Amino acid sequence: MEGKKFDINSIIGFVLIFGILLWFLYQNQPTEEEIEAEKAKTEQVEKAKEEQESTATPVVEETPTVDLTDSTALAQYKGSLGAFAYSATIPSAGDDITTFENELVKFKVSNKGGQIVEAVLKKYSTYDSVPVYLVKDGNASFNLNISTTDNRTLNTENLYFEPSLSESGENQILSMKLKASDNQYLEYRYELKPDGYLVDFTIRSQGLDNVLNSSQPVQLDWKQKGIRHSKSIEYENRYTRLTYMHDGKTSKLGQGDSDDDTDSNVSWISYRQHFFSTILINPAEFSNASFTSEKLFEEESKEEKYTKQYTSSIPLEVQGGELNYNMHWYYGPTDARVFKKYKDFNLADSIPFGWGIFGFINKHVFTPLYDFLSSVFPYGIAIIVMTILVRLVMSPVTYKSYLSQAKMKVIKPEVTEISQKYKDNAMKKQQETMKLYRKAGVSPMSGCIPALMQLPIFYALFMFFPTAFMLRQKPFLWAKDLSSYDTIYEFPEGFSIPFYGDHVSLFPILASVAIFFYMRMTTGQQQAMQQPTQEGMPDMGKMMKVMIYISPLMMLFFFNNYASGLSLYYFISNLITIVIMLVIKNYIIDEDKIHAKIQENKKKPKKESKFQRKMREMMEQAEAQKKKK
């Protein structure tokens, strides 16, 4: 039966696609040597810091928290502040909170440190219907480490700022001042517009030219732990990453347990928590900055609250005795549609579209295409429509692949005849086979190349569905969230299948079944692609039989924990491809006409390319040497 025939080109294509995909996923995994080198590097840095601290001029220790109602404690506290002792005398010098908000986001700013201590996105909720918080319960800190002219070191996160909330038109303005006197202060200025996630943020000083030590930069230290928002912390962590832009290009820290880096000319720093981001933007660029990222959990857990901890250390130059930095905060969704409002900052580059051509396809093709389709159709239907469009665009590639298989099928009897005639002379058999291919105008690799041409589409979609914000919490059929895996059954508490997970997803099962029948059909199109097995060589027929079952099994395990929208795409895609190939086979390709055309091609003189001539000469030389021996 024709259904039992096997197409080695299709199999090679699938194997290459899976192999390259796995290489992409694991290329950033550190080797043991790299881990050891990183440990050695960290130890050297720590040692250098200790040596530097041991030789440095003694400074005042970190300012402790103090009860400002205790007169004795207050006097001691003021003595430790030096020029900023005035800040302890203002009426609002306490742990009070000032709130400012718009329709999208709400902020709470503490007098202590003048920093944002709570940021909540009003229009979004987590998987368990809790509002999405980016800052809460002390998970973030923003501190300036200041060296003063009287040889003190002060940390602003422990000092008290005076708040002043006002309005300018529809904008809300919050001024937080750390005062040395009424006319001398360090100010954090927040300005929030009514319809956005961007907060204008200014750090500036006034009258502190005799207070700030101009010979040493003010050190900005920003830390934040990513708050968990998804049902699976492992899945969310895959797309949780510190990303930053420098010199007009984007870089990111590793996805593993810990990583660090230092760069110059940094224009923004993004603490991405999968679908939500906190971004510090400096259009004038930081001259340099150092970053760290550390994973905060060991394994999948329902109790873990945080994914990663990020830190950024940035020196701020004191110019003319004063500080003056005009920046922005972004607290909001990692959504390309929202980032369009702030296109001057290129925030869309913080979205993990993929690198190179894959990122280009996602950013400029799939994202705008799906954005349009989802505005017309329900989100699940939009995926199906997009799948149909993609398969129609790729149908010429499918046709080329099938046509190549049909040509190989037509000349199979002649290939078999050559194999039998020169079964004892492998070199001659190869020469005659290549000669036949050349005369017939057939290339055995032409069936594999179309499969490789589809690789950019395959990998681009692999990155698109898990990171497309527009799919977040959008249901379709039994899937509650197309950006995450669907669940039709959960295993008992504590039970999990290695590499598979603690649940059963239906869309990957359907996709695996579809790819199984697709492979059965494609491997049955062309028995000619399977050459007779030579002695000492592996039996390709048996290998292809195994691959028919291994490939769907790989998909079943691999996609069980990935976005259900991706599995839905591959399920529909394989069904459509099967239909297209059936139409091509039964209504478009005529094997009798192909045979007649090949016979005509064989009568025409064929001009050898330089490569073909070189290969022929090398084979002839090898054959001559073999005869001499």
Side-chain angles (χ1 to χ4, degrees), residues 27-41:
Q27 64 174 323
N28 290 325
Q29 295 280 335
T31 64
E32 293 184 4
E33 292 78 7
E34 290 173 332
I35 294 173
E36 292 298 326
E38 191 63 31
K39 287 182 179 178
K41 176 182 174 183

Side-chain angles (χ1 to χ4, degrees), residues 55-226:
T55 58
T57 304
V59 296
V60 177
E61 295 294 329
E62 182 179 277
T63 306
T65 302
V66 63
D67 181 3
L68 299 180
T69 61
D70 186 326
S71 58
T72 302
L74 178 59
Q76 295 175 347
Y77 172 58
K78 290 170 62 179
S80 68
L81 298 182
F84 290 104
Y86 181 85
S87 66
T89 66
I90 61 178
S92 60
D95 293 332
D96 292 339
I97 298 295
T98 304
T99 300
F100 66 102
E101 60 185 305
N102 60 19
E103 295 182 356
L104 303 175
V105 62
K106 179 178 179 180
F107 298 100
K108 291 185 179 181
V109 180
S110 174
N111 291 356
K112 185 178 181 181
Q115 61 184 312
I116 295 173
V117 293
E118 189 172 292
V120 58
L121 305 182
K122 294 182 176 182
K123 294 186 177 295
Y124 302 105
S125 60
T126 64
Y127 72 99
D128 51 357
S129 302
V130 175
V132 170
Y133 286 89
L134 297 180
V135 179
K136 187 182 182 184
D137 297 334
N139 75 306
S141 67
F142 185 88
N143 177 59
L144 296 186
N145 185 275
I146 300 174
S147 296
T148 65
T149 53
D150 59 353
N151 200 32
R152 297 174 187 270
T153 297
L154 300 174
N155 291 307
T156 59
E157 63 182 351
N158 296 308
L159 303 180
Y160 292 92
F161 289 64
E162 181 179 10
S164 174
L165 184 63
S166 61
E167 292 186 359
S168 175
E170 295 183 333
N171 298 353
Q172 295 184 60
I173 300 173
L174 174 61
S175 172
M176 305 294 295
K177 292 181 178 178
L178 174 63
K179 291 188 173 182
S181 69
D182 282 337
N183 298 318
Q184 294 176 292
Y185 54 81
L186 172 70
E187 180 185 25
Y188 294 166
R189 186 179 185 275
Y190 303 88
E191 182 171 355
L192 178 65
K193 297 177 177 62
D195 58 350
Y197 295 97
L198 202 70
V199 180
D200 296 338
F201 178 61
T202 300
I203 299 177
R204 74 181 189 96
S205 64
Q206 177 174 307
L208 297 182
D209 52 318
N210 294 323
V211 177
L212 301 179
N213 187 347
S214 299
S215 64
Q216 296 188 36
V218 172
Q219 195 69 24
L220 188 162
D221 294 314
W222 174 35
K223 303 177 182 178
Q224 185 166 313
K225 291 191 290 187

Side-chain angles (χ1 to χ4, degrees), residues 384 476-479 482 486-488 500 504-519 551-560 563-576 578:
I384 296 175
F476 180 65
L477 300 178
W478 57 85
L482 286 168
D486 63 292
T487 304
I488 58 170
Y500 185 73
V504 177
S505 299
L506 182 54
F507 275 127
I509 295 176
L510 295 176
S512 298
V513 171
I515 197 172
F516 172 78
F517 284 105
Y518 167 73
M519 292 186 70
S551 295
L553 191 63
M554 288 173 62
M555 172 168 277
L556 180 63
F557 273 76
F558 200 73
F559 287 90
N560 191 62
S564 54
L566 181 64
S567 299
L568 171 62
Y569 169 83
Y570 285 124
F571 170 56
I572 300 299
S573 179
N574 282 315
L575 290 182
I576 295 173
I578 290 173

Side-chain angles (χ1 to χ4, degrees), residues 125-412:
S125 60
T126 64
Y127 72 99
D128 51 357
S129 302
V130 175
V132 170
Y133 286 89
L134 297 180
V135 179
K136 187 182 182 184
D137 297 334
N139 75 306
S141 67
F142 185 88
N143 177 59
L144 296 186
N145 185 275
I146 300 174
S147 296
T148 65
T149 53
D150 59 353
N151 200 32
R152 297 174 187 270
T153 297
L154 300 174
N155 291 307
T156 59
E157 63 182 351
N158 296 308
L159 303 180
Y160 292 92
F161 289 64
E162 181 179 10
S164 174
L165 184 63
S166 61
E167 292 186 359
S168 175
E170 295 183 333
N171 298 353
Q172 295 184 60
I173 300 173
L174 174 61
S175 172
M176 305 294 295
K177 292 181 178 178
L178 174 63
K179 291 188 173 182
S181 69
D182 282 337
N183 298 318
Q184 294 176 292
Y185 54 81
L186 172 70
E187 180 185 25
Y188 294 166
R189 186 179 185 275
Y190 303 88
E191 182 171 355
L192 178 65
K193 297 177 177 62
D195 58 350
Y197 295 97
L198 202 70
V199 180
D200 296 338
F201 178 61
T202 300
I203 299 177
R204 74 181 189 96
S205 64
Q206 177 174 307
L208 297 182
D209 52 318
N210 294 323
V211 177
L212 301 179
N213 187 347
S214 299
S215 64
Q216 296 188 36
V218 172
Q219 195 69 24
L220 188 162
D221 294 314
W222 174 35
K223 303 177 182 178
Q224 185 166 313
K225 291 191 290 187
I227 300 175
R228 174 183 187 170
H229 300 134
S230 299
K231 180 169 59 175
S232 169
I233 193 170
E234 281 280 8
Y235 180 77
E236 184 172 12
N237 187 65
R238 292 174 192 161
Y239 307 98
T240 297
R241 215 158 183 181
L242 188 155
T243 308
Y244 60 94
M245 176 166 281
H246 63 103
D247 295 315
K249 59 183 179 181
T250 306
S251 295
K252 53 194 173 185
L253 295 192
Q255 216 171 0
D257 291 341
S258 62
D259 196 11
D260 62 84
D261 203 355
T262 300
D263 243 311
S264 57
N265 303 322
V266 176
S267 55
W268 53 252
I269 306 163
S270 170
Y271 291 175
R272 187 178 76 240
Q273 179 66 22
H274 197 177
F275 285 122
F276 301 96
S277 297
T278 304
I279 307 176
L280 178 61
I281 308 164
N282 180 15
E285 299 184 346
F286 299 115
S287 57
N288 63 82
S290 299
F291 317 101
T292 69
S293 174
E294 180 183 1
K295 185 180 176 182
L296 298 178
F297 66 96
E298 295 296 329
E299 57 187 16
E300 185 65 73
S301 169
K302 295 181 179 179
E303 288 73 34
E304 292 287 349
K305 295 182 179 180
Y306 304 106
T307 53
K308 283 188 174 79
Q309 174 161 305
Y310 302 125
T311 69
S312 295
S313 183
I314 308 166
L316 304 180
E317 297 297 328
V318 180
Q319 301 287 345
E322 302 287 1
L323 277 176
N324 191 8
Y325 281 81
N326 297 312
M327 302 180 288
H328 309 275
W329 284 112
Y330 176 85
Y331 289 86
T334 314
D335 187 351
R337 296 170 297 183
V338 176
F339 285 156
K340 283 182 180 179
K341 296 179 61 177
Y342 317 112
K343 58 183 179 180
D344 291 342
F345 307 130
N346 297 314
L347 299 184
D349 289 346
S350 68
I351 301 175
F353 288 120
W355 59 271
I357 188 174
F358 312 114
F360 180 86
I361 293 172
N362 268 336
K363 187 175 183 179
H364 300 289
V365 179
F366 288 139
T367 296
L369 174 61
Y370 188 77
D371 190 16
F372 168 73
L373 292 176
S374 61
S375 67
V376 178
F377 304 100
Y379 288 89
I381 300 299
I383 291 177
I384 296 175
V385 174
M386 186 171 77
T387 307
I388 294 172
L389 293 176
V390 171
R391 295 317 306 169
L392 288 176
V393 170
M394 295 301 295
S395 59
V397 177
T398 305
Y399 171 76
K400 289 288 185 181
S401 178
Y402 196 96
L403 179 61
S404 174
Q405 296 172 12
K407 289 180 178 179
M408 293 297 292
K409 182 178 180 180
V410 168
I411 65 171
K412 170 60 178 175

Side-chain angles (χ1 to χ4, degrees), residues 489-502:
Y489 177 75
E490 290 187 0
F491 296 129
E493 184 73 26
F495 178 78
S496 178
I497 299 176
F499 306 107
Y500 185 73
D502 59 358

